[in-house]
């Protein structure tokens, strides 16, 4: 049994509003937003690190990058956005299921 929160949300075992969903990935709001808009774009396949990706996992990431600009307006991200992928302990990854943070809806501080 998978005890992963993002797998459970993906399978609908835990309810969470999905702003986008297809067979391969979905987009939800982060429970603890760090910007006016803070989404998580999550592949349905469970893996933690980019280094673990299969060829198909890479295709799904490419598909995310195709879809995101098409739904950017619906997500309130017309002004642009920032994508972040935390990887491993030093990267501050809390949930061991690869996900892309999408931050926007306001002018973000540069870093
Ligand atoms: P990480 O640090 O792993 O890159 O980010 C994990 C993110 O998932 C955090 O920003 C955290 O707020 C978010 N998160 C953790 N649990 C849940 C949850 O149950 N639902 C949602 N929507 N977000 C979650
Ligand atoms: Zn998972």
């Amino acid at each position: 049994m998978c005890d992963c929160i993002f797998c459970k949300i993906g399978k609908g075992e835990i309810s969470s509003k999905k702003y986008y969903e297809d067979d391969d990935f979905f987009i939800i709001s982060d429970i603890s937003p760090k910007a006016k808009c803070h989404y998580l774009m999550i592949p349905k396949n469970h893996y933690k690190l980019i280094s673990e990706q299969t060829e198909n996992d890479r295709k799904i990431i490419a598909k995310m990058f195709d879809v995101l600009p098409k739904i950017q307006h619906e997500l309130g991200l017309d002004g642009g956005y920032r994508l972040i992928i935390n990887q491993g302990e030093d990267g501050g990854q809390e949930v061991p299921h690869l996900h892309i943070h999408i931050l926007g809806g306001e002018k973000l501080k540069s870093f």
Side-chain angles (χ1 to χ4, degrees):
M1 198 187 81
C2 181
D3 204 28
C4 168
I5 186 80
F6 290 168
C7 282
K8 286 182 176 168
I9 292 171
K11 289 176 192 153
E13 292 168 10
I14 292 176
S15 75
S16 184
K17 178 178 162 66
K18 294 192 176 100
Y19 293 85
Y20 176 87
E21 181 172 23
D22 65 23
D23 288 345
D24 298 316
F25 74 95
F26 57 95
I27 297 175
I28 58 174
S29 281
D30 196 292
I31 204 167
S32 173
K34 309 294 187 301
K36 199 167 168 195
C37 297
H38 185 173
Y39 301 99
L40 300 170
M41 187 157 60
I42 307 174
K44 288 189 175 176
N45 186 33
H46 180 94
Y47 64 97
K48 178 181 177 186
L49 300 169
I50 288 169
S51 59
E52 296 166 355
Q53 282 180 329
T54 64
E55 196 177 325
N56 195 52
D57 292 326
R58 283 191 286 274
K59 280 185 188 156
I60 290 165
I61 298 293
K63 183 178 163 187
M64 290 174 170
F65 283 14
D66 280 341
V67 169
L68 182 54
K70 292 180 182 139
I71 60 169
Q72 170 178 355
H73 176 72
E74 291 169 45
L75 296 177
L77 299 170
D78 280 338
Y81 50 86
R82 180 176 295 162
L83 302 180
I84 296 173
I85 305 177
N86 294 326
Q87 289 283 272
E89 203 178 332
D90 284 0
Q93 185 174 9
E94 289 169 15
V95 178
H97 179 133
L98 189 123
H99 52 281
I100 303 177
H101 294 261
I102 308 168
L103 297 152
E106 63 180 315
K107 178 92 174 155
L108 301 171
K109 281 190 200 148
S110 55
F111 65 93

